[in-house]
Amino acid sequence: MVEAIESYQQEHPDTDISSIELEQSFNKWFYTIEGLDDEKEYELRVDAHSQKTSKKQVKKLDLDEKNGIKRNESKIDTSKLVALTEIGKVATENAAGEITELSLEKELSHTYWTVKVEEGLNETEVKIDAFSKEVLEIEQDD
């Protein structure tokens, strides 16, 4: 994940990361990293294995989100994140199956991972604090 964050920061210096998603597509894992500055929102897709970047998007923020408003609400301090391997271990200790997707979000100044774990037709979402590894919520879909 560190390399993917570095790839994003090289592509979009002077921005803050607002979300990170790791998902599988055609048997390959990809990071989708979103970030923003005071005027625009950026998205970059990074191959988790090769670190090759693709699918770059830029869009303007709405008027009520500009001038640092959304940036201050959404920015994530990536320097203190627990390693993804540890987050994955916590998730699979609380839900049986294989991890199919991980996403990092910030809501009301709380940063957490949502980890989707699937076994057969059962899917479980485990929300885990991104800094302490505390399990915040477990939701099962049958």
Side-chain angles (χ1 to χ4, degrees), residues 3-4 19 25 35 57 61 65 75 83 90 95 98-99 101 110 115 122:
E3 294 89 356
S19 73
S25 176
Q57 294 183 350
L61 293 173
E65 299 172 326
K75 68 181 174 183
V90 171
E98 281 190 38
I99 295 172
E101 186 179 321
H110 199 91
V115 184
N122 295 326

Side-chain angles (χ1 to χ4, degrees):
M1 178 174 64
V2 173
E3 294 89 356
I5 291 171
E6 288 172 355
S7 294
Y8 172 86
Q9 290 170 333
Q10 286 175 0
E11 254 332 289
H12 303 292
D14 302 321
T15 65
D16 290 309
I17 291 174
S18 58
S19 73
I20 300 173
E21 189 171 310
L22 178 61
E23 60 186 338
Q24 201 172 19
S25 176
F26 300 107
N27 287 335
K28 292 179 87 173
W29 286 92
F30 291 92
Y31 289 99
T32 300
I33 301 177
E34 294 180 353
L36 40 96
D37 60 19
D38 290 343
E39 302 295 320
K40 297 177 185 165
E41 201 164 33
Y42 304 88
E43 182 178 298
L44 182 68
R45 187 170 170 156
V46 182
D47 183 301
H49 179 68
S50 71
Q51 301 307 310
K52 184 177 178 181
T53 61
S54 63
K55 199 176 175 185
K56 303 168 189 176
Q57 294 183 350
V58 180
K59 53 185 171 178
K60 290 182 180 180
L61 293 173
D62 293 336
L63 281 175
D64 62 337
E65 299 172 326
K66 288 186 176 189
N67 301 318
I69 293 171
K70 185 169 182 180
R71 185 178 193 173
N72 289 330
E73 288 175 358
S74 304
K75 68 181 174 183
I76 295 173
D77 181 0
T78 58
S79 68
K80 298 178 184 174
L81 294 175
V82 172
L84 270 183
T85 53
E86 292 183 50
I87 295 297
K89 183 178 177 187
V90 171
T92 54
E93 286 172 353
N94 287 277
E98 281 190 38
I99 295 172
T100 58
E101 186 179 321
L102 298 99
S103 59
L104 179 68
E105 302 169 44
K106 183 176 178 183
E107 187 176 302
L108 301 174
S109 72
H110 199 91
T111 305
Y112 61 91
W113 285 99
T114 300
V115 184
K116 288 187 182 179
V117 181
E118 292 182 7
E119 184 174 53
L121 298 175
N122 295 326
E123 180 180 285
T124 304
E125 282 190 359
V126 183
K127 291 187 179 180
I128 303 166
D129 184 283
F131 305 118
S132 71
K133 300 189 292 187
E134 175 189 354
V135 175
L136 304 172
E137 183 180 317
I138 299 173
E139 186 178 309
Q140 265 190 317
D141 292 335
D142 296 320

